[in-house]
Amino acid sequence: MAAVEYEQWQDGPPAPPPEQMEEITPEYVNLLMAPTEHFLCELEHNIYNIQFVNFKIRCLDAGQERVLFDLGAGDLPSPPPPDIGENACRFIRYHFGPEFLGIQTIGTTLEFTNGEHEVHDFRMIERHYFRDQLITSYDFTMPFVIPNTRNTWEMIYTKPEFSDEWKEALMTSPWEVRSDSFYFVNGRLIMHNRAEYNYGS
């Protein structure tokens, strides 16, 4: 199990446009201070044939432990925007509701399969934004994945504490909280998923 404390920024150094980059690196995505407008790699970059097959989100706050979303139990995300097209497989919308903003610790269980190649330093960098402001970033690494296996990746997120003003802004701005999840193997970007969140009633 991997865990990392959240980080929160108000400002940061600007990142150059991705089209100016010869390669999208972990260092580069950690400079991004606003959500991406398009995917930074092609589906074909997933040469390790990593496929996500199940996903669960849980509240881990003491005395309030419960499942919030379980794809394997039949929970479904909200429909993607109509213009997402062929990239719908790597875009997801979650409607969590306002109570989610009061949770401090979230646990996720990601199940995935992989192909015939060994996977070294499988790293996920996940960055969350409200409009064009970075609000938190997470970084998890799985050192090694055996070929042709089904795997479970447990991750723990410590969420930022939002003021009442922040909570009100988030609750009244459906789908304006967005995230980018970048997946690297040995420092090379192989997958990029995007998400939007709704904390309204």
Side-chain angles (χ1 to χ4, degrees), residues 48 57 116 122 130 139:
Y48 299 91
I57 304 173
E116 61 182 350
F122 187 29
F130 177 53
D139 195 331

Side-chain angles (χ1 to χ4, degrees), residues 15-170:
E19 57 269 17
Q20 295 182 9
M21 302 296 296
E22 292 185 4
E23 185 176 6
I24 303 298
T25 65
E27 294 75 19
Y28 173 77
V29 300
N30 275 325
L31 292 177
L32 296 173
M33 304 306 291
T36 60
E37 296 301 326
H38 58 273
F39 293 93
L40 301 191
C41 67
E42 301 296 332
L43 290 168
E44 292 75 17
H45 287 190
N46 182 12
I47 61 174
Y48 299 91
N49 194 26
I50 293 172
Q51 304 293 329
F52 299 145
V53 295
N54 201 3
F55 186 58
K56 182 189 295 184
I57 304 173
R58 310 179 312 283
C59 170
L60 299 182
D61 289 353
Q64 302 182 49
E65 296 88 347
R66 63 191 186 278
V67 175
L68 303 170
F69 179 88
D70 188 348
L71 189 64
D75 292 340
L76 296 176
S78 298
D83 60 350
I84 201 67
E86 64 182 10
N87 287 305
C89 61
R90 49 181 177 163
F91 187 100
I92 195 167
R93 275 182 162 180
Y94 295 105
H95 187 179
F96 285 132
E99 64 278 359
F100 189 88
L101 297 175
I103 298 172
Q104 287 304 300
T105 306
I106 294 292
T108 66
T109 303
L110 176 63
E111 293 185 37
F112 67 93
T113 60
N114 64 303
E116 61 182 350
H117 301 295
E118 295 181 350
V119 176
H120 294 269
D121 293 325
F122 187 29
R123 180 178 180 185
M124 181 187 77
I125 298 175
E126 184 173 300
R127 292 169 75 78
H128 291 248
Y129 311 87
F130 177 53
R131 296 174 179 162
D132 288 331
Q133 180 173 342
L134 179 68
I135 54 176
T136 190
S137 183
Y138 304 93
D139 195 331
F140 304 94
T141 299
M142 180 176 281
F144 179 72
V145 183
I146 299 171
N148 297 310
T149 53
R150 185 180 179 115
N151 305 273
T152 300
W153 197 356
E154 298 276 353
M155 292 170 271
I156 296 176
Y157 297 74
T158 301
K159 293 172 59 232
E161 294 186 22
F162 294 112
S163 67
D164 290 341
E165 291 79 8
W166 262 96
K167 289 181 180 179
E168 179 66 20
L170 297 175

